[in-house]
Amino acid sequence: ITLPCFANDIYVNQVGDNTDITIVQDGENNQIEGLSGSGDAQLSGNNKTVAFSQTGNTNEIRVWTHGGNQQMSLTQDGNLNISIMDNHGNNNNMSVAIDGNSNSTHTEIGNGGDINNQISVIMDGGDSNAVYTEVQNGSTNSIDVQLHGQSNNINTVTVNGSSNNIKAWQGKHEDGSVDSDETGDNDVYWVVNGSNNNLASYQTDDNNNGGQHIANYVTGDSNDVKHTQRGSGDHKGY
């Protein structure tokens, strides 16, 4: 009996400026490795446009990049996916869009005072996801993390640097709306070390499905911290 096999691997090692890369994987058990699922998935150079897309189950995208003026996007549609995008440089735009359950995603910028980067992470319509977003060392960066229509999710934001503008949403509102029927039992954790950061968390309407939880740990001066929890349920904010 011959059975179909969908085990595709792509290992990338690209060095140079003005690079345009699009990789689409449609199937099961796909990988674009590195960091360290092992092997490659490294991109170096300025002025890159890079798009990764996977549809299916048990996919992994892991990529380390270095350079300035990069436009990078990562899309996954399916269950049990893992995505990691680790970016170093200035004036970069990173977007992550994931739809599914039990996913783990880690999006990171900066390890050397990186500036003027933008990160957008949207996780839509799934449960039991772990979302980790990090400014390892940088300033004047902007991060927007959104989780929609989900429950039992953990959203962790870590910031080391100053003058960053960061928002974490579960359900949305105030007032970017979304939340057609948000569920509950979602957590947001902030660990912030630096000054003059602007931080905002919004958790909304859980329909008595377990409550919402926010914990802020902030070290530094002149930070502006806001957290908003709406709807019925056992809400906790620290």
Side-chain angles (χ1 to χ4, degrees):
I1 299 175
T2 302
L3 297 176
C5 179
F6 303 101
N8 302 309
D9 296 308
I10 294 177
Y11 306 99
V12 180
N13 186 1
Q14 171 68 36
V15 179
D17 298 335
N18 304 307
T19 302
D20 191 341
I21 298 174
T22 300
I23 297 177
V24 178
Q25 293 181 317
D26 189 355
E28 298 175 338
N29 303 315
N30 299 307
Q31 297 179 328
I32 300 171
E33 281 302 79
L35 283 183
S36 100
S38 70
D40 293 331
Q42 297 188 13
L43 306 170
S44 297
N46 300 317
N47 305 307
K48 294 193 295 291
T49 300
V50 181
F52 296 121
S53 177
Q54 293 178 325
T55 301
N57 300 317
T58 60
N59 298 309
E60 299 188 23
I61 297 175
R62 307 182 183 208
V63 59
W64 177 92
T65 81
H66 182 274
N69 304 309
Q70 302 177 91
Q71 301 291 320
M72 304 190 61
S73 67
L74 185 161
T75 304
Q76 289 178 318
D77 186 355
N79 299 321
L80 301 173
N81 298 308
I82 297 174
S83 71
I84 301 176
M85 186 185 292
D86 184 353
N87 184 47
H88 304 286
N90 303 322
N91 304 307
N92 297 304
N93 190 319
M94 304 162 63
S95 67
V96 177
I98 298 175
D99 188 349
N101 302 307
S102 304
N103 293 292
S104 173
T105 183
H106 183 161
T107 311
E108 175 188 321
I109 52 176
N111 68 349
D114 297 351
I115 62 171
N116 298 328
N117 296 291
Q118 294 186 333
I119 291 179
S120 170
V121 179
I122 299 177
M123 188 166 286
D124 206 359
D127 300 326
S128 303
N129 296 292
V131 180
Y132 187 87
T133 313
E134 178 179 12
V135 178
Q136 192 179 75
N137 183 355
S139 61
T140 60
N141 297 293
S142 176
I143 293 178
D144 190 293
V145 185
Q146 302 180 32
L147 284 75
H148 303 154
Q150 304 175 350
S151 63
N152 299 306
N153 294 285
I154 299 176
N155 186 1
T156 303
V157 181
T158 301
V159 179
N160 183 24
S162 300
S163 303
N164 296 290
N165 186 357
I166 302 175
K167 290 184 173 64
W169 316 73
Q170 287 175 317
K172 199 108 173 169
H173 279 332
E174 193 154 315
D175 188 303
S177 260
V178 187
D179 180 25
S180 52
D181 190 17
E182 188 66 17
T183 52
D185 201 17
N186 293 307
D187 295 351
V188 173
Y189 298 98
W190 292 87
V191 182
V192 178
N193 184 5
S195 301
N196 302 305
N197 294 293
N198 190 307
L199 317 167
S201 292
Y202 304 97
Q203 292 178 312
T204 135
D205 307 329
D206 76 330
N207 299 321
N208 282 317
N209 286 315
Q212 314 281 12
H213 174 271
I214 296 176
N216 294 301
Y217 303 91
V218 181
T219 303
D221 301 321
S222 303
N223 293 292
D224 187 352
V225 180
K226 179 176 185 177
H227 73 226
T228 300
Q229 294 170 313
R230 290 191 51 188
S232 55
D234 184 13
H235 300 327
K236 297 177 181 178
Y238 300 94

PDB file of all heavy atoms in Angstrom, residues 69-81:
ATOM      1  N   ASN A  69      15.205  48.253   7.260  1.00  0.00           N
ATOM      2  CA  ASN A  69      14.188  48.487   6.229  1.00  0.00           C
ATOM      3  C   ASN A  69      13.642  47.188   5.659  1.00  0.00           C
ATOM      4  O   ASN A  69      13.528  47.002   4.442  1.00  0.00           O
ATOM      5  CB  ASN A  69      14.769  49.349   5.104  1.00  0.00           C
ATOM      6  CG  ASN A  69      15.317  50.661   5.624  1.00  0.00           C
ATOM      7  OD1 ASN A  69      14.644  51.391   6.337  1.00  0.00           O
ATOM      8  ND2 ASN A  69      16.568  50.953   5.289  1.00  0.00           N
ATOM      9  N   GLN A  70      13.273  46.265   6.569  1.00  0.00           N
ATOM     10  CA  GLN A  70      12.709  44.980   6.147  1.00  0.00           C
ATOM     11  C   GLN A  70      11.187  44.995   6.280  1.00  0.00           C
ATOM     12  O   GLN A  70      10.646  45.568   7.223  1.00  0.00           O
ATOM     13  CB  GLN A  70      13.257  43.850   7.020  1.00  0.00           C
ATOM     14  CG  GLN A  70      14.772  43.721   7.015  1.00  0.00           C
ATOM     15  CD  GLN A  70      15.232  42.626   7.956  1.00  0.00           C
ATOM     16  OE1 GLN A  70      15.371  41.487   7.551  1.00  0.00           O
ATOM     17  NE2 GLN A  70      15.472  42.971   9.202  1.00  0.00           N
ATOM     18  N   GLN A  71      10.522  44.343   5.348  1.00  0.00           N
ATOM     19  CA  GLN A  71       9.087  44.096   5.420  1.00  0.00           C
ATOM     20  C   GLN A  71       8.921  42.580   5.515  1.00  0.00           C
ATOM     21  O   GLN A  71       9.197  41.863   4.564  1.00  0.00           O
ATOM     22  CB  GLN A  71       8.372  44.633   4.182  1.00  0.00           C
ATOM     23  CG  GLN A  71       8.537  46.126   3.955  1.00  0.00           C
ATOM     24  CD  GLN A  71       7.809  46.943   5.006  1.00  0.00           C
ATOM     25  OE1 GLN A  71       6.693  46.610   5.421  1.00  0.00           O
ATOM     26  NE2 GLN A  71       8.437  48.024   5.445  1.00  0.00           N
ATOM     27  N   MET A  72       8.458  42.114   6.677  1.00  0.00           N
ATOM     28  CA  MET A  72       8.394  40.670   6.905  1.00  0.00           C
ATOM     29  C   MET A  72       6.994  40.261   7.354  1.00  0.00           C
ATOM     30  O   MET A  72       6.406  40.902   8.218  1.00  0.00           O
ATOM     31  CB  MET A  72       9.420  40.261   7.962  1.00  0.00           C
ATOM     32  CG  MET A  72      10.834  40.672   7.614  1.00  0.00           C
ATOM     33  SD  MET A  72      12.015  39.919   8.726  1.00  0.00           S
ATOM     34  CE  MET A  72      11.709  38.196   8.416  1.00  0.00           C
ATOM     35  N   SER A  73       6.486  39.182   6.766  1.00  0.00           N
ATOM     36  CA  SER A  73       5.183  38.675   7.187  1.00  0.00           C
ATOM     37  C   SER A  73       5.223  37.165   7.345  1.00  0.00           C
ATOM     38  O   SER A  73       5.934  36.464   6.622  1.00  0.00           O
ATOM     39  CB  SER A  73       4.095  39.063   6.182  1.00  0.00           C
ATOM     40  OG  SER A  73       4.273  38.410   4.955  1.00  0.00           O
ATOM     41  N   LEU A  74       4.445  36.684   8.329  1.00  0.00           N
ATOM     42  CA  LEU A  74       4.370  35.261   8.643  1.00  0.00           C
ATOM     43  C   LEU A  74       2.905  34.923   8.861  1.00  0.00           C
ATOM     44  O   LEU A  74       2.246  35.542   9.704  1.00  0.00           O
ATOM     45  CB  LEU A  74       5.198  34.980   9.895  1.00  0.00           C
ATOM     46  CG  LEU A  74       5.395  33.547  10.396  1.00  0.00           C
ATOM     47  CD1 LEU A  74       6.595  33.494  11.336  1.00  0.00           C
ATOM     48  CD2 LEU A  74       4.162  33.040  11.141  1.00  0.00           C
ATOM     49  N   THR A  75       2.393  33.960   8.099  1.00  0.00           N
ATOM     50  CA  THR A  75       0.985  33.571   8.199  1.00  0.00           C
ATOM     51  C   THR A  75       0.883  32.063   8.368  1.00  0.00           C
ATOM     52  O   THR A  75       1.508  31.309   7.621  1.00  0.00           O
ATOM     53  CB  THR A  75       0.203  33.989   6.932  1.00  0.00           C
ATOM     54  OG1 THR A  75       0.351  35.389   6.722  1.00  0.00           O
ATOM     55  CG2 THR A  75      -1.267  33.660   7.085  1.00  0.00           C
ATOM     56  N   GLN A  76       0.072  31.645   9.364  1.00  0.00           N
ATOM     57  CA  GLN A  76      -0.200  30.222   9.563  1.00  0.00           C
ATOM     58  C   GLN A  76      -1.694  30.013   9.751  1.00  0.00           C
ATOM     59  O   GLN A  76      -2.331  30.741  10.510  1.00  0.00           O
ATOM     60  CB  GLN A  76       0.535  29.684  10.790  1.00  0.00           C
ATOM     61  CG  GLN A  76       2.046  29.576  10.614  1.00  0.00           C
ATOM     62  CD  GLN A  76       2.736  29.093  11.883  1.00  0.00           C
ATOM     63  OE1 GLN A  76       2.401  29.519  12.975  1.00  0.00           O
ATOM     64  NE2 GLN A  76       3.690  28.201  11.722  1.00  0.00           N
ATOM     65  N   ASP A  77      -2.242  29.021   9.084  1.00  0.00           N
ATOM     66  CA  ASP A  77      -3.649  28.683   9.211  1.00  0.00           C
ATOM     67  C   ASP A  77      -3.746  27.189   9.474  1.00  0.00           C
ATOM     68  O   ASP A  77      -3.538  26.376   8.591  1.00  0.00           O
ATOM     69  CB  ASP A  77      -4.392  29.056   7.926  1.00  0.00           C
ATOM     70  CG  ASP A  77      -5.893  28.871   8.052  1.00  0.00           C
ATOM     71  OD1 ASP A  77      -6.347  28.374   9.091  1.00  0.00           O
ATOM     72  OD2 ASP A  77      -6.616  29.205   7.097  1.00  0.00           O
ATOM     73  N   GLY A  78      -4.024  26.816  10.717  1.00  0.00           N
ATOM     74  CA  GLY A  78      -4.083  25.406  11.083  1.00  0.00           C
ATOM     75  C   GLY A  78      -3.770  25.219  12.552  1.00  0.00           C
ATOM     76  O   GLY A  78      -3.566  26.186  13.274  1.00  0.00           O
ATOM     77  N   ASN A  79      -3.716  23.992  12.993  1.00  0.00           N
ATOM     78  CA  ASN A  79      -3.503  23.678  14.402  1.00  0.00           C
ATOM     79  C   ASN A  79      -2.079  23.236  14.689  1.00  0.00           C
ATOM     80  O   ASN A  79      -1.364  22.762  13.802  1.00  0.00           O
ATOM     81  CB  ASN A  79      -4.469  22.569  14.845  1.00  0.00           C
ATOM     82  CG  ASN A  79      -5.917  22.993  14.680  1.00  0.00           C
ATOM     83  OD1 ASN A  79      -6.267  24.139  14.940  1.00  0.00           O
ATOM     84  ND2 ASN A  79      -6.742  22.079  14.232  1.00  0.00           N
ATOM     85  N   LEU A  80      -1.689  23.383  15.938  1.00  0.00           N
ATOM     86  CA  LEU A  80      -0.427  22.856  16.456  1.00  0.00           C
ATOM     87  C   LEU A  80       0.788  23.405  15.718  1.00  0.00           C
ATOM     88  O   LEU A  80       1.782  22.715  15.542  1.00  0.00           O
ATOM     89  CB  LEU A  80      -0.433  21.315  16.403  1.00  0.00           C
ATOM     90  CG  LEU A  80      -1.555  20.640  17.195  1.00  0.00           C
ATOM     91  CD1 LEU A  80      -1.568  19.150  16.934  1.00  0.00           C
ATOM     92  CD2 LEU A  80      -1.432  20.928  18.680  1.00  0.00           C
ATOM     93  N   ASN A  81       0.704  24.646  15.277  1.00  0.00           N
ATOM     94  CA  ASN A  81       1.824  25.289  14.611  1.00  0.00           C
ATOM     95  C   ASN A  81       2.731  25.981  15.615  1.00  0.00           C
ATOM     96  O   ASN A  81       2.301  26.381  16.690  1.00  0.00           O
ATOM     97  CB  ASN A  81       1.319  26.319  13.599  1.00  0.00           C
ATOM     98  CG  ASN A  81       0.500  25.672  12.507  1.00  0.00           C
ATOM     99  OD1 ASN A  81       0.944  24.723  11.887  1.00  0.00           O
ATOM    100  ND2 ASN A  81      -0.694  26.173  12.284  1.00  0.00           N
TER     101      ASN A  81
END
